[in-house]
Amino acid sequence: MLSDSINESSKQLTKDGKLRHLVSLENLDKNILMRLLFEAQEYTQFKKLPDRIINHNQEHTIANLFFEPSTRTRASFEIAANRLGFNVINFDIENSSGKKGETILDTVMTLKSMGVDTLVIRHKEAGIHAQLVQDIGDECIIINAGEGHISHPTQGLLDLLTIQQEKEAFEDLTVTIVGDIAHSRVARSAAQGLTTMGVKELRLVSPKEFMPSKKLTSISKHFTNLDEGLKNADVVMALRIQHERMEDTNNINLDNYIKNYRITHKAMRIAKPDAIIMHPGPMNRNIEIESSLADGEQSVILRQVANGVAVRMALLNQLTKNHEAQ
Ligand code: CP
């Protein structure tokens, strides 16, 4: 049974307000976000640096536990940890004792007993990371690598870094997120981070059936009309329809969705001429985004992927230092 009270931002901080775990971007202090973005920006130069740019204690072991599929997040956590000199294991969920009925808590306790220090976890269950922080957070670092439709904080951080590299100041920006907002952990974490960074406008565009039941943040505004949402936008983020999070997908009228919500060259004419196009991946080309737009000059989609390594390096480095200072 997961309690609401443990989902407070303070649970992921040390007593003196430093980041101890990463569960959520919600209500996370702007200074913490800025410190992570600053260090991540330095790591974006990593191709010019030696293979292992920080030699952390190689006794510190990071385990990647992905209970849902991943390409970008899992690979970038592994690359980031290797770059920092950590010992990394990619836990094979499909062939693990979870398939014989072992609970996630028993699995992580087992790994902890073998000497795992940091657990990077993707799981469909809402609240699982906060629960693990409560249960074993004094001994291990817990990092949320995707929590059902609820949150994906490292994706939110890499989205912030990508926007910061392209645009002058968050305070001047209109950011528009288009697609299946209701089922998107990416939209939630991006909205939380963008709200903390103080964007001028945050617009969420979707058909009624993909609209969340409540506002994502205090500043988010919902639109059902794509043109209204895109007008003079500086940043446009397209989202995939999350079929895997719906019980019944028969009611989705894909032709209608493509006609009214696909981000195309034509649709982008109403946004600012220098607007950037983002997508967290994986993309369904020519459904939520016109394929040539995804590969075009305005697209920063592959930059987002590259920034994912830098952001996860900064996060692992800071969390480990904060843990060691305890
Ligand atoms: N954006 C994202 O989380 O991608 P993966 O599912 O490939 O990790």
Side-chain angles (χ1 to χ4, degrees):
M1 172 79 176
L2 302 170
S3 131
D4 284 346
S5 62
I6 59 170
N7 212 7
E8 295 161 20
S9 177
S10 60
K11 301 285 190 233
Q12 57 193 344
L13 304 180
T14 62
K15 284 194 181 71
D16 53 353
K18 291 187 178 140
L19 199 60
R20 174 80 173 79
H21 310 276
L22 184 64
V23 174
S24 170
L25 296 188
E26 192 171 16
N27 301 324
L28 203 56
D29 192 87
K30 187 173 177 181
N31 289 324
I32 290 178
L33 295 184
M34 286 172 60
R35 262 198 299 278
L36 286 166
L37 297 180
F38 181 83
E39 187 173 336
Q41 180 58 32
E42 296 195 328
Y43 293 142
T44 59
Q45 309 300 317
F46 69 77
K47 279 196 178 136
K48 298 175 193 152
L49 294 166
D51 257 6
R52 297 222 162 158
I53 68 169
I54 297 177
N55 258 319
H56 272 285
N57 182 352
Q58 287 185 14
E59 297 301 311
H60 189 110
T61 299
I62 295 174
N64 281 328
L65 283 80
F66 281 68
F67 293 85
E68 289 188 320
S70 169
T71 297
R72 281 147 280 266
T73 313
R74 178 173 152 154
S76 61
F77 263 113
E78 184 178 358
I79 292 167
N82 279 323
R83 289 268 169 198
L84 295 170
F86 290 114
N87 186 29
V88 190
I89 61 165
N90 286 309
F91 189 70
D92 180 5
I93 301 292
E94 284 307 309
N95 292 305
S96 74
S97 287
K99 297 287 164 192
K100 299 181 224 168
E102 186 171 76
T103 65
I104 182 168
L105 182 58
D106 283 332
T107 299
V108 298
M109 293 292 281
T110 301
L111 292 173
K112 190 173 77 59
S113 301
M114 293 176 198
V116 167
D117 305 285
T118 295
L119 293 147
V120 177
I121 300 170
R122 172 171 287 190
H123 202 280
K124 68 177 182 190
E125 191 176 334
I128 193 80
H129 302 88
Q131 182 71 57
L132 290 171
V133 165
Q134 190 177 53
D135 292 342
I136 57 163
D138 288 345
E139 298 143 89
C140 284
I141 297 169
I142 306 292
I143 299 178
N144 176 354
E147 174 195 13
H149 72 282
I150 300 291
S151 67
H152 192 351
T154 57
Q155 178 70 41
L157 288 170
L158 75 88
D159 290 338
L160 292 181
L161 180 64
T162 308
I163 294 169
Q164 184 175 266
Q165 288 167 349
E166 289 288 328
K167 300 290 172 189
E168 294 280 309
F170 284 101
E171 293 79 7
D172 298 331
L173 297 181
T174 296
V175 180
T176 302
I177 306 178
V178 183
D180 179 5
I181 310 288
H183 302 101
S184 175
R185 56 189 172 208
V186 172
R188 282 172 178 73
S189 288
Q192 289 159 2
L194 289 163
T195 299
T196 301
M197 297 309 286
V199 290
K200 189 172 73 178
E201 264 196 81
L202 175 59
R203 302 177 187 162
L204 307 172
V205 183
S206 72
K208 280 202 178 78
E209 61 269 29
F210 293 155
M211 197 87 82
S213 53
K214 56 179 189 178
K215 270 165 75 87
L216 293 198
T217 71
S218 57
I219 65 162
S220 62
K221 289 187 193 139
H222 291 217
F223 296 77
T224 51
N225 181 284
L226 183 61
D227 280 355
E228 284 176 23
L230 289 182
K231 195 169 179 192
N232 293 325
D234 299 280
V235 176
V236 178
M237 186 189 295
L239 298 175
R240 180 176 67 88
I241 299 175
Q242 307 264 307
H243 295 278
E244 69 275 24
R245 305 213 184 278
M246 300 176 209
E247 279 174 18
D248 181 8
T249 54
N250 290 331
N251 291 332
I252 299 172
N253 183 334
L254 207 53
D255 289 340
N256 218 25
Y257 183 83
I258 289 169
K259 184 169 156 226
N260 293 307
Y261 295 98
R262 180 167 62 174
I263 307 297
T264 60
H265 288 283
K266 190 171 167 215
M268 283 300 292
R269 283 190 210 144
I270 201 159
K272 289 212 181 127
D274 64 348
I276 56 169
I277 313 273
M278 304 177 74
H279 193 303
M283 280 185 280
N284 288 147
R285 286 176 180 264
N286 291 323
I287 296 182
E288 70 269 14
I289 187 165
E290 191 174 8
S291 188
S292 59
L293 190 67
D295 301 326
E297 282 185 1
Q298 288 173 281
S299 170
V300 292
I301 294 170
L302 290 178
R303 176 96 68 79
Q304 288 174 267
V305 175
N307 283 337
V309 176
V311 153
R312 287 161 184 132
M313 287 174 76
L315 180 70
L316 290 172
N317 189 42
Q318 291 188 21
L319 288 180
T320 310
K321 283 185 174 157
N322 295 344
H323 177 74
E324 284 165 2
Q326 285 283 289

